């Protein structure tokens, strides 16, 4: 049947209205996300992310200057190791500022770091956290600016962290005193033991002192030697002196997560074949024993490391990094499917919860800590596939972040993604990671050459500037 001009015009108008609506309405449970993000919108989004980063930094600058972090609701500072200060927010944020071209903010951060930061402190610090945030941040700042004082600070920190590895197994204690080298926290976990090699390895390459790489690598090898002989899985707790597992719970969430990430990245950055072999074996083990392919999608749950028996169907914000590992492993189909689940989790309550039961599609732990992993996975997948749906996902995540976490003095954590009740903390990784990955997702590829860098787990890119 031939359609008259009026009917065609009406139909076209209806299609336009529907398209406009699909772009304008927020994605929520079960609704398909519009994949349309125009070039002009991308440019505008990159500028908006930059503006929101500046809003968060301005809050820190005004109310927490000279401290580690900002509590934006109470407008008070937060220090990790009071009365000492390690300038967590400036060190973690500087490379994001440099990428965004924020020269005034970068000059401010640079001044406080170079004039005030010292590691000669009466403080027992968490080896994992200061490695990924401070050592990683300083190494990247050195690579981006060529300012030798960043490398000197990094080396001083690395040297002070080394006593942590003095255990019977070579696996590090969780805490070490920066001035005395006294260590404590002998019960550790795979993430804290296995997420040091990129920073320690880069420090070795840049200073030409092999001790840092060798020490961190020995820890990884000792840990991987203790994977279950039956399943290949790791547990959640291990005693670094006895080498015995203290908790057999296996999963890919907090306490284990970045162990898998660093093995493949260690191979990528250093060409280390052992890391690659251990990493691929680990990925096979989690696929075999933790993967659930159910009606709601592809997910990764919990199991006993020795039997492989499923013990829980919990996934969460920290787990959302896993598609990046599949991208690094060349498994795009799996990465894409898991990112679909990530996005379902994100939109379920309007912003993602800390923990989510995928068997019941129910929020289990309702907080949101401004975490970056879901946006990070969207960024990796966009770079790997060029598929615009990841831009649309990132746009939704950014809109939700602004809608629910923005406050007058910056951005804050949520007590509940269901009620959207706020708490009072602006973690440094909001500036180091969450805004960086969103910015890089929307910015032109030239903002940072994805193929030339390896991101540490705090989103500090490291360039392979050495030859051996
Ligand atoms: C960051 O410090 C790092 O991404 C780490 O690997 C996990 N926790 C936070 C972000 O969620």
């Amino acid at each position: 049947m031939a359609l008259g001009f009026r009917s065609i015009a009406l139909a076209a108008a209806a299609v336009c209205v529907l398209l406009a609506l699909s772009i304008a309405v927020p994605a929520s449970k079960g609704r398909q996300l519009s994949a349309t993000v125009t070039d002009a919108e991308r440019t505008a989004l990159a500028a908006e992310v930059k503006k929101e980063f500046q809003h968060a930094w301005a809050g820190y600058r005004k109310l927490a200057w000279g401290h580690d972090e900002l509590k934006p609701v109470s407008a008070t500072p937060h220090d990790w190791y009071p009365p000492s200060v390690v300038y967590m927010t400036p060190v973690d944020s500087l490379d994001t500022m440099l990428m965004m071209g924020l020269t005034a903010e970068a000059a401010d951060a640079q001044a406080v770091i170079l004039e005030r930061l010292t590691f000669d402190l009466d403080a027992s610090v968490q080896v994992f956290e200061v490695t990924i945030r401070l050592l990683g941040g300083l190494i990247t700042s050195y690579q981006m600016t060529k300012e030798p004082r960043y490398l000197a600070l990094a080396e001083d920190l690395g040297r002070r962290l080394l006593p942590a590895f003095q255990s019977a197994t070579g696996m590090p204690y969780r805490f070490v005193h920066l001035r005395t080298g006294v260590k404590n926290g002998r019960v550790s976990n795979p993430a804290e033991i296995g997420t040091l090699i990129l920073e320690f390895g880069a420090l070795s390459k840049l200073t030409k002192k092999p001790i840092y790489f060798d020490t961190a690598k020995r820890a990884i090898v000792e840990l991987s030697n203790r994977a279950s002989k039956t399943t290949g899985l790791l547990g959640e707790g291990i005693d670094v002196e006895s080498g015995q597992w203290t908790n057999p719970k296996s999963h890919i969430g907090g306490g284990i997560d970045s162990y898998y990430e660093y093995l493949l990245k260690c191979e990528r950055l250093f060409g280390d074949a052992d890391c690659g072999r251990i990493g691929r074996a680990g990925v096979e083990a989690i696929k075999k024993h933790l993967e659930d392919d159910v009606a709601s999608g592809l997910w990764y749950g919990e199991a006993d490391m020795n039997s492989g028996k499923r013990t829980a169907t919990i996934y969460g914000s920290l787990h959302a990094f896993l598609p990046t590992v599949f991208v690094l492993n060349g498994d795009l189909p799996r990465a894409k499917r898991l990112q679909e689940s990530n996005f379902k989790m994100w939109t379920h309550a309007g912003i993602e919860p800390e923990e989510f039961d995928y068997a019941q599609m129910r929020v289990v732990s309702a907080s949101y800590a401004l975490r970056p992993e879901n946006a990070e996975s969207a960024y990796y997948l966009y770079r790997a596939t060029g598929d615009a749906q990841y831009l649309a996902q990132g746009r939704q995540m950014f809109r939700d972040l602004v809608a629910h976490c923005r406050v007058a003095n910056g951005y804050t954590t949520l007590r509940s993604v269901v009620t959207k009740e706020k708490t009072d903390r602006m973690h440094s990784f909001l500036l180091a990671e969450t805004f960086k990955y969103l910015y890089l997702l929307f910015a032109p590829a030239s903002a940072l050459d994805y193929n030339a860098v390896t991101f540490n787990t705090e989103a500090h890119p490291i360039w392979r500037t050495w030859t051996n």
Side-chain angles (χ1 to χ4, degrees):
M1 185 179 64
L3 289 174
F5 173 75
R6 198 178 139 76
S7 333
I8 291 171
L10 277 175
V15 167
C16 286
V17 169
L18 280 173
L19 268 177
L21 278 175
S22 70
I23 290 168
V25 288
S28 62
K29 261 187 251 186
R31 184 180 293 141
Q32 267 302 320
L33 183 74
S34 163
T36 312
V37 180
T38 63
D39 285 351
E41 195 185 357
R42 269 185 79 169
T43 308
L45 280 162
E48 275 185 64
V49 174
K50 190 162 145 179
K51 212 166 98 273
E52 292 310 307
F53 175 97
Q54 287 178 290
H55 170 70
W57 172 258
Y60 165 79
R61 183 72 181 81
K62 181 172 160 208
L63 300 162
W65 192 237
H67 293 275
D68 286 341
E69 286 177 341
L70 168 68
K71 290 163 75 178
V73 174
S74 57
T76 53
H78 169 80
D79 289 320
W80 281 53
Y81 308 108
S84 299
V85 177
V86 291
Y87 300 95
M88 208 63 105
T89 296
V91 178
D92 230 4
S93 309
L94 177 55
D95 61 4
T96 311
M97 295 167 178
L98 294 170
M99 280 172 220
M100 290 178 171
L102 296 172
T103 41
E105 287 86 348
D108 243 6
Q110 159 136 337
V112 79
I113 296 167
L114 295 180
E115 286 162 22
R116 297 202 215 164
L117 180 60
T118 172
F119 295 116
D120 182 19
L121 297 172
D122 181 14
S124 188
V125 300
Q126 194 175 354
V127 175
F128 163 77
E129 292 290 359
V130 303
T131 296
I132 65 171
R133 298 183 201 223
L134 299 179
L135 192 53
L138 290 168
I139 286 170
T140 299
S141 296
Y142 168 67
Q143 290 195 307
M144 291 183 82
T145 63
K146 313 280 184 292
E147 165 55 61
R149 284 175 289 172
Y150 290 123
L151 184 59
L153 279 164
E155 188 174 5
D156 184 45
L157 176 58
R159 193 175 47 75
R160 291 172 190 274
L161 296 177
L162 281 178
F165 294 80
Q166 285 164 12
S167 68
T169 62
M171 293 190 284
Y173 278 70
R174 295 185 64 218
F175 300 93
V176 68
H177 192 284
L178 285 175
R179 200 171 276 160
T180 65
V182 170
K183 53 213 193 287
N184 68 83
R186 64 184 268 180
V187 174
S188 190
N189 55 67
E192 296 196 43
I193 294 166
T195 313
L196 309 167
I197 187 80
L198 295 187
E199 301 81 357
F200 277 66
L203 188 58
S204 274
K205 299 294 183 187
L206 296 169
T207 60
K208 302 196 184 344
K209 293 181 184 157
I211 185 161
Y212 303 107
F213 180 91
D214 295 348
T215 306
K217 174 140 181 224
R218 178 177 170 213
I220 289 186
V221 170
E222 290 290 338
L223 177 62
S224 66
N225 284 343
R226 289 169 172 82
S228 161
K229 301 287 175 269
T230 326
T231 64
L233 294 173
L234 304 179
E236 199 187 64
I238 190 163
D239 183 326
V240 302
E241 287 295 347
S242 69
Q244 298 297 311
W245 291 100
T246 59
N247 183 344
K249 187 160 94 166
S250 195
H251 51 78
I252 53 97
I256 305 183
D257 45 8
S258 42
Y259 163 79
Y260 294 106
E261 173 188 344
Y262 267 35
L263 286 163
L264 295 184
K265 289 183 173 179
C266 163
E267 182 184 45
R268 177 183 161 106
L269 186 59
F270 304 117
D272 189 284
D274 295 330
C275 284
R277 180 179 45 75
I278 299 167
R280 277 184 287 280
V283 169
E284 288 313 308
I286 62 174
K287 275 160 53 182
K288 184 158 177 206
H289 298 289
L290 301 181
E291 186 172 281
D292 276 329
D293 198 344
V294 292
S296 58
L298 186 73
W299 303 92
Y300 286 77
E302 295 179 6
D304 179 279
M305 67 175 280
N306 297 308
S307 65
K309 191 168 167 294
R310 178 72 66 257
T311 48
T313 49
I314 306 290
Y315 192 85
S317 333
L318 286 165
H319 301 63
F321 82 104
L322 193 58
T324 69
V325 171
F326 293 136
V327 171
L328 291 168
N329 204 30
D331 187 351
L332 283 182
R334 196 171 247 100
K336 288 184 198 169
R337 288 205 58 213
L338 189 56
Q339 185 59 18
E340 279 172 31
S341 304
N342 272 357
F343 195 62
K344 268 184 204 157
M345 175 174 73
W346 182 282
T347 52
H348 182 82
I351 189 161
E352 73 178 353
E354 185 71 3
E355 288 186 339
F356 186 67
D357 185 332
Y358 55 80
Q360 299 177 38
M361 294 301 274
R362 169 176 84 80
V363 172
V364 178
S365 168
S367 59
Y368 173 61
L370 303 172
R371 294 200 189 282
E373 288 79 2
N374 217 320
E376 174 184 2
S377 290
Y379 166 66
Y380 271 63
L381 270 159
Y382 181 63
R383 287 282 163 244
T385 65
D387 186 335
Q389 71 165 303
Y390 302 114
L391 295 174
Q393 287 189 358
R395 175 181 58 190
Q396 187 65 50
M397 292 180 207
F398 176 57
R399 296 274 179 250
D400 294 337
L401 185 70
V402 176
H404 304 307
C405 302
R406 191 183 206 274
V407 291
N409 296 317
Y411 274 76
T412 196
T413 46
L414 299 180
R415 185 179 314 284
S416 168
V417 297
V418 179
T419 63
K420 311 294 186 296
E421 185 193 348
K422 294 178 172 62
T423 31
D424 188 17
R425 182 92 187 259
M426 190 168 86
H427 293 285
S428 66
F429 55 70
L430 171 78
L431 297 132
E433 297 193 72
T434 313
F435 282 134
K436 184 185 287 151
Y437 284 124
L438 288 169
Y439 176 74
L440 291 175
L441 177 64
F442 302 127
S446 57
L448 181 79
D449 183 352
Y450 167 83
N451 292 310
V453 302
T454 301
F455 289 96
N456 88 337
T457 196
E458 190 78 0
H460 298 303
I462 304 177
W463 285 261
R464 187 177 168 139
T465 51
W466 47 86
T467 44
N468 56 351

